[in-house]
Amino acid sequence: MNKAKKNDWVKIHNIILGPEERAPQVPEDTKKVPLELWVKGYLIDEKAEIGDTVVVKTVTGRRVSGSLIEIEPSFNHDFGSYVKELAYIGPGLRELLKGGEHRE
Amino acid sequence: MSKDMSYAAVMARKGEIMKKAVGLDYEQFERDGIVFDYEAMMTGTGYSLEDVIDIQRASCVSQTPLYEMKNLTKLARMYAAEGKGARIFIKDEAANPSGSFKVRRAAISVHHAKKLGYKGVIAATSGNYGAAVASQAAMHGLDCIILQECYDSKGKGQPEIIEKARKCEAFGAEVVQLSVGPELFYTFLRLLEETGYFNASLYTPFGIAGVESLGYELAEQMKALEGKYPDAVVVTNAGGGNLTGTARGLKKAGANETEIIGASVDLSGLHMASDEQFNKKSFTTGHTGFGIPFTTWPDRSDVPRSAARPLRYIDRYVTISQGEVFYMTESLAQVEGMERGPAGNTSLAAAFAIAKEMDEDQIIVVQETEYTGAGKHIAPQLSFAKENGIAVLVGDPKDNIPGQNIILPENPGLISIKNLDLNRIRKSYIKNALHGRLDDTLSANEMNYIEEETRADSDFISLVINELRSE
């Protein structure tokens, strides 16, 4: 989906501080990159495409301008991949518990 | 004329913005020199412990269960000397509406904001506190903005932080996400200025008063259950509020003999404001990256004076590695049937190690758990670590190097804590508190103040000042 219309739920992106405007105490690697911001809201413009500069109304009613990066953004975080390194823990402990009261 | 929004200009307006946003004039607690009246600030909230308990009950917060971890206790005893291995209890704070103890803080802050007539609240946090403020704001009909440090410059974010954004949105909050850097605070000030909302900071006296009920409740529950107060309580330590509030609550209940142990995940060597290292850590809170700076200098937060002052209460401070906390999180699920979030289990892993040193008839309490779910779970966090080049190994956690590997202990006997030298931390605190004033003599009030802040005697403090002079 590349095109959004008024009132669509969208995500926008902004540069808050360029690398040269960053705080003095920032470490060197961080100073090389800008401070970026992402926020979601309902599109105020009649229509827009990904990459356009748009204005949104956030859920608290703030109007924020930025570059349109996602239309109807969703969460995709999950339970990750199978972690084989964890597999021994449960069976190992249950075995120990069955074995009773031994002390080292 | 529009206001100057440059970093320097906004930071220069900090005092004025903050005064409006917390409705509290911190100047009134300042005394001569470096002294400020902490207790006056804490009682100046106008909320007694009884008020706090009433407000929280009316907000569906608190009264969480206290459970005995019999299988974990049994396992600890297998690796302890004869007669050793304290009983491990856990206070299930995940049972709160937002899934963590942080809502105790949020309940008082949001109540206070509403009482003062603020239309909304703002908090800068990537963690459980954001969800807590959003949850309370939803319950009490206030607008809410949560500001979080979320992505590195490649747009990659910790799964745990993404999950927190989802949860805040689920409670109807606006989530503003930023890339890595301390200028989060600058953006926070801009938002406060723009909206006129209340600064629901973690570090106001309202927030800390909210945690007192946790320590108090825990003491009362243990007394009812076992006829005595716990011998030790382990608190995950980051910004210091959890430890400060819990300790104050325990003391208000009369549990003066209970040892207060702070525990942080060891992330030494990683720079918290580094874009490259941001995603090399697998814990976003409860780690030494917050624990050490906030203990050695509490007044670095988003309010002029922090109400979280852990050195006033901490009896012992220990660290534990990431792998040990992940292992204990899996153990809690596998042998106790309780699936809880990893960050909250920092103190559980430490308690497991410390229980082995204590007598069998003693009681050690882990004072919080947190919710778990997609993103906020050991599997996605370990998957994310691997994607970021961290080796996940099974072995001896002593070989762990934060940012390079995560070592899951081969067996529970390898879970051990490192004791931090509290006198070194006190020295660092004294250095920070003096602000370079090494040549002056301290007034009697100032000396007294440092004694209260560090719980050290004047001889120790004088010795440290002499050492600092010669460095």
Side-chain angles (χ1 to χ4, degrees):
Chain A
M1 199 157 53
N2 283 321
K3 292 185 177 168
K5 57 182 191 309
K6 192 179 173 79
N7 291 329
D8 279 352
W9 179 245
V10 299
K11 188 175 189 176
I12 61 168
H13 170 259
N14 254 321
I15 301 289
I16 300 291
L17 295 169
E20 68 291 342
E21 297 168 304
R22 299 209 63 159
Q25 73 271 29
V26 165
E28 285 309 311
D29 63 329
T30 312
K31 222 172 250 180
K32 288 184 195 141
V33 295
L35 180 71
E36 301 172 81
L37 176 148
W38 295 262
V39 72
K40 296 172 193 168
Y42 296 100
L43 187 67
I44 288 185
D45 304 62
E46 286 304 323
K47 56 183 183 179
E49 284 186 31
I50 297 290
D52 288 354
T53 299
V54 298
V55 180
V56 300
K57 189 179 175 190
T58 69
V59 292
T60 64
R62 294 194 310 127
R63 279 164 189 256
V64 189
S65 163
S67 167
L68 180 67
I69 58 160
E70 213 178 331
I71 300 157
E72 296 190 347
S74 58
F75 289 98
N76 300 304
H77 59 293
D78 55 18
F79 284 91
S81 314
Y82 174 68
V83 183
K84 63 174 188 292
E85 293 83 357
L86 292 170
Y88 73 102
I89 299 176
L93 294 180
R94 277 196 287 275
E95 198 54 42
L96 271 173
L97 287 169
K98 263 190 245 162
E101 302 288 334
H102 97 273
R103 286 182 186 277
E104 282 219 318
Chain B
M1 205 183 79
S2 66
K3 278 186 172 166
D4 184 349
M5 287 300 173
S6 69
Y7 180 78
V10 172
M11 293 303 278
R13 296 199 292 274
K14 182 173 80 173
E16 164 202 339
I17 296 170
M18 278 301 168
K19 207 163 166 176
K20 279 188 195 146
V22 281
L24 183 66
D25 182 8
Y26 283 84
E27 285 293 321
Q28 63 181 304
F29 309 117
E30 293 296 330
R31 303 287 180 265
D32 60 309
I34 61 170
V35 181
F36 97 99
D37 193 338
Y38 177 58
E39 284 304 330
M41 181 176 81
M42 293 308 288
T43 50
T45 60
Y47 301 112
S48 66
L49 179 60
E50 291 70 28
D51 296 333
V52 165
I53 291 168
D54 287 348
I55 292 165
Q56 289 176 341
R57 283 197 183 168
S59 305
C60 310
V61 168
S62 77
Q63 304 302 306
T64 57
L66 182 69
Y67 298 127
E68 182 166 8
M69 301 288 102
K70 290 186 179 157
N71 283 329
L72 290 180
T73 301
K74 195 172 166 190
L75 285 166
R77 286 178 180 169
M78 286 182 190
Y79 294 93
E82 190 66 39
K84 297 284 178 186
R87 294 165 67 190
I88 304 167
F89 284 72
I90 201 165
K91 189 147 170 67
D92 198 19
E93 285 290 291
N96 279 303
S98 72
S100 79
F101 86 95
K102 285 274 169 51
V103 75
R104 292 180 187 262
R105 286 158 110 150
I108 310 304
S109 283
V110 171
H111 171 91
H112 191 67
K114 194 170 180 179
K115 193 173 88 177
L116 296 183
Y118 286 87
K119 189 174 162 288
V121 288
I122 305 187
T125 156
S126 303
N128 287 328
Y129 187 59
V133 173
S135 165
Q136 283 295 302
M139 200 179 289
H140 295 288
L142 294 189
D143 285 343
C144 176
I145 301 176
I146 301 300
L147 181 63
Q148 54 168 224
E149 185 184 41
C150 187
Y151 299 109
D152 66 11
S153 60
K154 296 182 193 79
K156 246 202 252 179
Q158 294 264 354
E160 191 184 3
I161 302 179
I162 312 279
E163 158 55 19
K164 230 56 74 64
R166 184 207 62 81
K167 200 165 178 74
C168 291
E169 283 188 11
F171 295 134
E174 173 183 334
V175 179
V176 176
Q177 297 179 308
L178 293 179
S179 56
V180 180
E183 302 99 330
L184 176 91
F185 185 55
Y186 154 82
T187 316
F188 180 62
L189 290 172
R190 280 181 60 166
L191 280 170
L192 287 172
E193 199 171 47
E194 179 188 335
T195 60
Y197 289 174
F198 181 77
N199 171 13
S201 159
L202 275 165
Y203 303 100
T204 60
F206 321 112
I208 303 309
V211 191
E212 289 181 8
S213 67
L214 173 44
Y216 186 82
E217 218 175 278
L218 191 169
E220 296 282 291
Q221 279 172 310
M222 192 52 84
K223 186 93 174 183
L225 211 60
E226 296 293 330
K228 62 170 190 171
Y229 294 127
D231 296 285
V233 172
V234 192
V235 188
T236 302
N237 190 41
N242 193 14
L243 192 138
T244 302
T246 299
R248 289 176 62 88
L250 281 162
K251 289 182 195 321
K252 285 187 181 178
N256 294 309
E257 302 303 314
T258 302
E259 188 182 21
I260 310 290
I261 306 172
S264 298
V265 172
D266 179 13
L267 287 189
S268 51
L270 289 178
H271 195 305
M272 293 306 132
S274 160
D275 177 58
E276 283 165 20
Q277 292 176 7
F278 182 66
N279 284 326
K280 295 274 183 199
K281 57 183 190 283
S282 294
F283 281 78
T284 55
T285 187
H287 56 66
T288 50
F290 290 126
I292 302 290
F294 276 89
T295 305
T296 54
W297 187 236
D299 296 319
R300 57 172 73 245
S301 78
D302 53 2
V303 287
R305 286 291 194 176
S306 176
R309 309 191 84 80
L311 259 191
R312 285 179 174 247
Y313 302 99
I314 199 165
D315 295 315
R316 182 177 176 188
Y317 193 3
V318 303
T319 64
I320 190 108
S321 70
Q322 299 182 97
E324 289 165 298
V325 181
F326 285 133
Y327 179 92
M328 197 47 73
T329 302
E330 178 69 4
S331 307
L332 183 65
Q334 292 278 344
V335 305
E336 296 289 359
M338 282 176 71
E339 203 183 16
R340 297 292 182 268
N345 291 329
T346 302
S347 50
L348 177 63
F352 185 85
I354 295 166
K356 292 188 270 185
E357 306 166 358
M358 294 169 65
D359 294 339
E360 268 182 351
D361 61 353
Q362 290 191 299
I363 289 173
I364 187 164
V365 177
V366 173
Q367 53 72 274
E368 58 149 331
T369 59
E370 58 162 1
Y371 83 100
T372 187
K376 194 176 166 53
H377 184 276
I378 49 176
Q381 286 179 235
L382 286 170
S383 302
F384 185 78
K386 288 182 187 179
E387 281 165 32
N388 285 284
I390 309 294
V392 176
L393 308 164
V394 177
D396 189 341
K398 283 200 175 68
D399 301 327
N400 99 97
I401 305 171
Q404 289 186 28
N405 61 26
I406 290 172
I407 302 184
L408 301 161
E410 233 168 59
N411 65 62
L414 294 174
I415 296 174
S416 65
I417 41 91
K418 272 188 216 156
N419 286 297
L420 295 179
D421 180 357
L422 274 181
N423 278 343
R424 256 187 79 185
I425 289 176
R426 291 188 175 106
K427 181 176 174 182
S428 178
Y429 168 89
I430 293 166
K431 187 180 175 184
N432 288 325
L434 292 177
H435 294 303
R437 262 189 48 194
L438 290 175
D439 294 330
D440 298 358
T441 16
L442 291 179
S443 70
N445 282 344
E446 286 176 316
M447 182 57 98
N448 192 27
Y449 173 71
I450 297 182
E451 283 177 36
E452 283 174 11
E453 283 274 279
T454 58
R455 289 199 296 152
D457 58 27
S458 57
D459 288 347
F460 174 84
I461 296 164
S462 301
L463 194 78
V464 165
I465 294 174
N466 278 332
E467 274 175 28
L468 288 169
R469 277 181 187 142
S470 63
E471 276 171 15

